[in-house]
Amino acid sequence: MSSMQDKVKELLELRVKARLGGGEKRIEKQHSQGKMTARERILTLLDENSFEELDMFVTHRCTNFGMDKEHILSDGVITGFGTINNRLVYVFAQDFTTYGGSLSETQAAKICKVLDMAMKMGAPVIGINDSGGARIQEGVTSLAGYAEIFQRNILASGVVPQISAIFGPCAGGAVYSPALTDFVMMVKNTSYMFLTGPKVVKTVTGEDVTTEDLGGASVHAVKSGVAHFTAENEEDGLSMIRHLLRFLPSNNMETAPEIECTDPIERVEDTLNEIIPDNPNKPYEMKTVISNIVDNGEFFEVAPLYAKNIIVGFAHMGGMSVGIVANQPSHMAGVLDINASRKAARFVRFCDAFNIPLVSLVDVPGFLPGTGQEYGGVIVHGAKLLYAYGESTVPKVTVTLRKSYGGAHIVMSCKQLRGDLNYAWPTAEIAVMGAEGAVEVLYAKEINAESDPQKKIEAITAKKEEYNALFCNPFKAAQYGYIDEIIEPRNTRYRIIKALQSLKTKHLENPAKKHDNLPL
Ligand code: HXC
């Protein structure tokens, strides 16, 4: 019988072995591709010395294809818990050096264990994906493992924040775990996500496409909207995740931590009194407005490269975490379309699920017209944003800066969608439609009957002026109480923070139901 010291020595030796994963050669290959190993990633992500590893000695149970002759400790995924900014989080990171990080029955069980613990403890989960997909030697047990993970992602949705980092391959059905989580991050040039790889694409559709052009960060951050964040490299990505968590509560029963506010809440920004151009068709930069009103000008944008006509992201205002949704007049005039509606709806629902107040900054000329949008189902996609705002019960503060027309006015958190405090700048134009369209509809006959072109122009201008004077201002809406107050632009920061402070005790519940039927 060996002594206790021998047993401890054996444990320590096994740990060293486990930490080598698939071995030095494969670790070298990983490093040579600019990638960290799974444990290195976790140690970089978490607070120093906070990582507590679990299931280090798990091995696969497969006997096919000679697998019974080799058992690599940890079985291709490193799991455990630790802290980020001193708050508990659960993590898993697939280890590409072990069977290409491929998912076995036992690897899935390890991931499920941390997902279950995160749910029990009410803590966020961060999953770092780097895997060749289902462990081919295992067959259907691997598929069942994926399904077990997906089921937990689904049940955890809206209960604890789930963040997925894609730091290598993520292909086939494996992409659905990240897709079910709240935020997806990709790293430039070293990560990709697709359902079927370039070879299958070539066989089925004849298309020639590279891995990067099919599912790289550039594709998913810009074109598909699957990825919310793009990192320059892995360190950058991991530090972005740490930063993101500063805005989030640990679970849906909590509110996000309030941080010390070093930026005076009564800070006046005179430049905002001049930011709206005299010409209503001229754009301005909405991000300037955002950085002027949030604490220390710090805005953490989500999906900055996708559907740029709407801006969404997190900031602190008076130390409180807020979700900001803002139309962007500098991109497609800030019009709402399919992609913008989907992007903002998902963000609004995330904020509502996790008790993060919503601040909406409105300058929207309407929905984008045309067959492209109608055939693509803009009715249903636009309804998603409408639905998201309407169902949300978190504090909602809306400021209309300029245009707020038609259906888009309603969608963008109007008073009747249970907006708590709806403010407008004096430059706001809240109406059914712009003067141009309105005059065309109302006075088409008279205008067409006029044969003198000069007189025609004069008649149109006169009618437009009449319409503008009557409708293109915030006073009509304020008269009805649809706008709670017209505010001076330079005081916007103060007014929003005071509003948010007053709404801290807001209590509103939706009718009991099994679940809603969001227009998907
Ligand atoms: C078992 C795998 C594996 C897998 C990779 N490996 N993928 N082992 N099952 N799925 C192993 C390799 O055999 C190799 O072992 C090591 O991991 C590294 O792989 P390489 O091919 O050398 O690496 P690289 O050249 O970087 O290529 C990476 C790759 C490629 C593009 C991911 O490995 C690949 O195409 N793998 C198969 C992908 C795939 O078709 N997966 C199944 C998809 S179906 P050694 O011993 O040489 O180091 C699926 C269904 C999921 O996932 C459904 C969910 C619902």
Side-chain angles (χ1 to χ4, degrees):
M1 209 104 132
S2 58
S3 68
M4 183 154 178
Q5 276 92 339
D6 289 339
K7 286 187 177 172
V8 171
K9 191 165 164 261
E10 184 191 11
L11 168 68
L12 297 181
E13 280 167 5
L14 277 173
R15 279 193 184 159
V16 170
K17 194 173 165 203
R19 289 193 181 111
L20 272 179
E24 266 157 12
K25 260 204 178 140
R26 292 193 182 95
I27 293 175
E28 261 168 43
K29 188 176 165 195
Q30 182 87 346
H31 285 159
S32 72
Q33 292 170 337
K35 292 162 73 178
M36 294 189 230
T37 63
R39 278 194 187 79
E40 287 165 351
R41 287 166 176 164
I42 289 178
L43 295 180
T44 309
L45 172 70
L46 299 181
D47 293 340
E48 215 175 336
N49 295 325
S50 76
F51 182 46
E52 294 292 322
E53 188 166 342
L54 302 171
D55 285 340
M56 188 185 240
F57 300 108
V58 163
T59 53
H60 69 75
R61 300 189 194 109
C62 178
T63 53
N64 307 323
F65 302 102
M67 287 292 281
D68 48 339
K69 298 194 180 62
E70 185 188 53
H71 292 92
I72 301 178
L73 296 176
S74 307
D75 203 29
V77 71
I78 313 307
T79 58
F81 59 94
T83 60
I84 292 181
N85 307 319
N86 294 318
R87 292 162 69 204
L88 177 69
V89 295
Y90 285 82
V91 281
F92 67 88
Q94 289 174 314
D95 169 18
F96 194 82
T97 71
T98 301
Y99 309 118
S102 58
L103 192 112
S104 62
E105 177 202 0
T106 39
Q107 177 178 131
K110 282 183 68 171
I111 295 173
C112 288
K113 188 187 273 188
V114 285
L115 286 168
D116 289 341
M117 292 183 82
M119 283 286 273
K120 210 162 23 173
M121 259 53 79
V125 191
I126 299 126
I128 304 176
N129 295 259
D130 186 3
S131 163
R135 176 113 19 114
I136 294 166
Q137 297 91 329
E138 293 208 5
V140 292
T141 55
S142 165
L143 291 189
Y146 272 117
E148 294 281 0
I149 295 169
F150 299 166
Q151 181 63 65
R152 281 164 178 78
N153 290 140
I154 293 161
L155 294 179
S157 179
V159 180
V160 292
Q162 300 182 83
I163 301 168
S164 299
I166 315 298
F167 279 11
C170 184
V175 294
Y176 283 117
S177 176
L180 290 167
T181 64
D182 299 304
F183 296 105
V184 175
M185 153 165 308
M186 295 185 75
V187 179
K188 277 186 186 168
N189 305 318
T190 52
S191 66
Y192 56 85
M193 297 175 81
F194 39 65
L195 277 174
T196 48
K199 280 186 194 148
V200 178
V201 170
K202 173 79 181 159
T203 317
V204 177
T205 71
E207 261 177 302
D208 272 314
V209 64
T210 61
T211 301
E212 180 63 28
D213 287 346
L214 185 62
S218 54
V219 169
H220 289 309
V222 181
K223 293 192 170 121
S224 74
V226 167
H228 303 93
F229 303 106
T230 313
E232 290 298 322
N233 53 48
E234 295 186 7
E235 282 89 352
D236 178 39
L238 296 166
S239 101
M240 278 169 88
I241 293 172
R242 288 177 61 89
H243 195 65
L244 169 62
L245 284 166
R246 291 177 69 230
F247 300 100
L248 314 185
S250 293
N251 59 64
N252 65 338
M253 304 302 282
E254 295 179 6
T255 49
E258 238 180 274
I259 62 167
E260 195 198 340
C261 177
T262 52
D263 191 357
I265 68 162
E266 65 282 359
R267 178 168 53 77
V268 168
E269 276 300 333
D270 288 330
T271 52
L272 293 183
N273 272 13
E274 301 181 354
I275 198 164
I276 303 288
D278 291 337
N279 178 349
N281 296 325
K282 262 200 159 170
Y284 59 93
E285 183 47 71
M286 184 61 89
K287 286 187 196 169
T288 309
V289 177
I290 297 172
S291 60
N292 272 314
I293 63 172
V294 300
D295 292 355
N296 308 312
E298 283 169 16
F299 178 53
F300 189 74
E301 195 173 354
V302 174
L305 304 173
Y306 180 75
K308 290 183 183 173
N309 35 336
I310 202 150
I311 303 166
V312 299
F314 298 103
H316 286 103
M317 293 193 77
M320 294 168 278
S321 175
V322 293
I324 292 184
V325 181
N327 309 112
Q328 169 59 291
S330 293
H331 193 85
M332 295 165 66
V335 77
L336 282 178
D337 61 359
I338 293 170
N339 293 349
S341 302
R342 287 177 46 234
K343 169 176 160 180
R346 183 143 176 84
F347 182 74
V348 167
R349 295 194 98 220
F350 175 84
C351 290
D352 188 48
F354 289 102
N355 313 315
I356 299 169
L358 287 161
V359 173
S360 305
L361 304 173
V362 180
D363 187 346
V364 62
F367 275 95
L368 182 62
T371 52
Q373 289 290 305
E374 296 290 355
Y375 294 175
V378 68
I379 294 173
V380 164
H381 298 294
K384 287 181 177 137
L385 183 53
L386 172 63
Y387 200 108
Y389 268 124
E391 73 172 341
S392 60
T393 56
V394 285
K396 290 186 273 191
V397 181
T398 307
V399 182
T400 303
L401 281 61
R402 188 169 62 171
K403 297 171 192 168
S404 183
Y405 286 122
H409 159 72
I410 299 169
V411 167
M412 288 301 298
S413 199
C414 72
K415 191 77 194 161
Q416 294 74 17
L417 290 182
R418 305 191 294 184
D420 294 303
L421 283 161
N422 288 51
Y423 293 135
W425 285 7
T427 42
E429 307 166 16
I430 303 169
V432 172
M433 57 170 74
E436 198 99 14
V439 168
E440 202 135 290
V441 175
L442 291 179
Y443 301 105
K445 266 194 204 144
E446 285 100 313
I447 289 165
N448 288 337
E450 181 58 68
S451 51
D452 181 341
Q454 187 53 34
K455 281 194 175 153
K456 204 174 199 167
I457 292 171
E458 280 168 16
I460 294 174
T461 312
K463 289 294 175 200
K464 276 207 292 200
E465 275 169 12
E466 191 188 334
Y467 182 91
N468 276 335
L470 196 58
F471 286 137
C472 292
N473 60 62
F475 295 101
K476 269 273 171 281
Q479 208 177 340
Y480 291 105
Y482 302 160
I483 288 295
D484 295 299
E485 194 62 322
I486 301 169
I487 62 170
E488 228 192 304
R490 65 193 195 129
N491 293 332
T492 303
R493 168 177 167 79
Y494 179 74
R495 300 299 289 246
I496 295 176
I497 293 173
K498 290 304 274 185
L500 290 167
Q501 286 172 342
S502 75
L503 295 169
K504 274 188 182 175
T505 50
K506 177 180 177 184
H507 183 76
L508 181 64
E509 271 175 30
N510 288 330
K513 49 181 112 173
K514 184 177 176 194
H515 60 69
D516 58 37
N517 190 15
L518 172 82
L520 291 172

